[in-house]
Amino acid sequence: MESGRPASSTTTVWLVLLVASAASLWLGSDATDRSHTAAAVGVLAIAFAKIWLIVRYFMEVRFAPLWLRLSLDAWVAGVFVAITALYLTFAVG
Amino acid sequence: MQLAKQAATSPGESAGSAARVTPGEIRVPGESGFWILILGDLTAFALMFCVFIYYRGHDVGLYLDSQLRLNRAFGALNVVLLLTSSWCVVQGVEAFRERITQRARRCFGAGFLLGAGFVVVKVLEYGDKVREGIAASTNEFFMFFYVLTGIHLLHLVIGLGVLAWMRAKSRSEWSTHRDVALAECGGVYWHMVDLLWVALFALLYLLR
């Protein structure tokens, strides 16, 4: 039962995810209305950083073969870029 | 990865042995074929996210006003519930691989209960909306809201079934490599449900 190291690394990631969630909630609140475009991009960046951590550490993709790591990295980066581009093109009011 | 310090697999050990993993070993978590399913599902959701943002751009005011009628506390609570549930499942899969059956069962059980908590919160949220007279037909934003969260909820309910199976399976001390691979697939699926909610929470509840 010496699974100390991996368990503690995923526990650290879990805590980081909770803190990041609190940060995105704060960023997305109306208190930061002064520059809501920057806040929105920040919200998206935090969300996809969290998703990347879940993929890497919870799904254990950090130990996966290159094809799988690249596929998921491409998904995370591609969706982040596509959504941010669409947001900046159409949704900035 | 991790675990199994002494990868001391005796010659006779194979079918009935736990799937020990040597540190730093490159391997596919679960089964390769299962990842095709996961990547397909992720791609389908990615397209739905893009369609949502595209339509949002054509009537930003309506989407912003409608978003204010959502209860962020419900969404945020569900983020915490699913992240914590996912973390429990990570610990459970670790324990399952190590054949620490009682710990695996406890972790999968906790993951299940937290996931069930998500369903309870979602039902409360839908109930609130219905009482306020808000349905999918109210406007375009709420159409997306119900469709996206509904499809996600369906995935989550399937995931709860998978977690219940994993908990039952972890009773046995004689898990085979295949059992471990299936448990890893179950874990990967559950984490996908988790990460999709992270994205949905940002898009539906937070993006201004």
Side-chain angles (χ1 to χ4, degrees):
Chain A
M1 23 196 69
E2 353 64 346
S3 54
R5 201 175 43 119
S8 69
S9 75
T10 49
T11 301
T12 305
V13 168
W14 171 63
L15 290 171
V16 169
L17 289 168
L18 292 181
V19 172
S21 302
S24 65
L25 195 59
W26 175 78
L27 254 187
S29 74
D30 285 330
T32 56
D33 221 24
R34 44 204 149 84
S35 67
H36 81 263
T37 303
V41 174
V43 163
L44 290 174
I46 291 175
F48 282 89
K50 284 167 65 183
I51 288 170
W52 186 80
L53 285 174
I54 292 169
V55 167
R56 281 273 154 161
Y57 288 87
F58 287 4
M59 289 179 159
E60 300 184 325
V61 166
R62 68 192 189 283
F63 301 116
L66 191 63
W67 69 266
L68 189 52
R69 288 203 307 270
L70 285 181
S71 300
L72 285 152
D73 284 351
W75 185 88
V76 175
V79 179
F80 171 66
V81 169
I83 289 179
T84 306
L86 282 169
Y87 174 83
L88 293 175
T89 306
F90 296 107
V92 177
Chain B
M1 76 250 66
Q2 58 260 59
L3 344 168
K5 305 311 174 198
Q6 329 85 327
T9 37
S10 66
E13 234 178 4
S14 58
S17 67
R20 301 228 145 188
V21 180
T22 44
E25 182 188 343
I26 299 292
R27 56 185 286 277
V28 174
E31 306 263 0
S32 296
F34 188 72
W35 279 99
I36 305 299
L37 192 78
I38 293 289
L39 288 167
D41 221 8
L42 286 175
T43 304
F45 268 96
L47 289 173
M48 288 189 272
F49 297 160
C50 290
V51 168
F52 170 76
I53 294 291
Y54 175 79
Y55 278 97
R56 180 186 190 277
H58 289 83
D59 200 347
V60 179
L62 172 83
Y63 279 66
L64 289 178
D65 290 344
S66 302
Q67 188 194 54
L68 290 177
R69 300 173 76 177
L70 294 182
N71 187 337
R72 278 186 180 175
F74 281 141
L77 177 58
N78 271 345
V79 168
V80 174
L81 285 173
L82 271 197
L83 286 176
T84 308
S85 173
S86 247
W87 174 73
C88 289
V89 171
V90 170
Q91 312 301 318
V93 170
E94 292 267 354
F96 191 80
R97 271 197 294 248
E98 294 267 26
R99 283 200 197 145
I100 310 172
T101 53
Q102 223 177 15
R103 180 172 159 76
R105 211 164 348 126
R106 270 204 311 267
C107 290
F108 291 143
F112 179 93
L113 288 177
L114 290 161
F118 180 102
V119 178
V120 171
V121 171
K122 209 80 211 125
V123 168
L124 290 175
E125 186 181 25
Y126 284 157
D128 269 7
K129 289 288 150 282
V130 170
R131 270 190 297 279
E132 291 168 26
I134 296 173
S137 56
T138 299
N139 64 32
E140 201 174 271
F141 174 86
F142 283 107
M143 187 273 290
F144 275 114
F145 172 77
Y146 281 107
V147 169
L148 291 173
T149 59
I151 294 174
H152 177 266
L153 189 60
L154 180 67
H155 280 71
L156 186 130
V157 170
I158 293 169
L160 285 178
V162 173
L163 288 186
W165 175 83
M166 286 160 73
R167 185 176 180 277
K169 200 73 191 166
S170 58
R171 280 177 195 283
S172 164
E173 295 193 357
W174 294 104
S175 48
T176 62
H177 284 282
R178 178 145 182 81
D179 292 334
V180 173
L182 287 175
E184 287 178 349
C185 287
V188 165
Y189 179 83
W190 191 247
H191 303 317
M192 180 191 74
V193 170
D194 180 17
L195 73 82
L196 288 173
W197 184 251
V198 168
L200 284 173
F201 178 64
L203 295 178
L204 293 171
Y205 294 77
L206 296 181
L207 199 65
R208 300 296 296 159

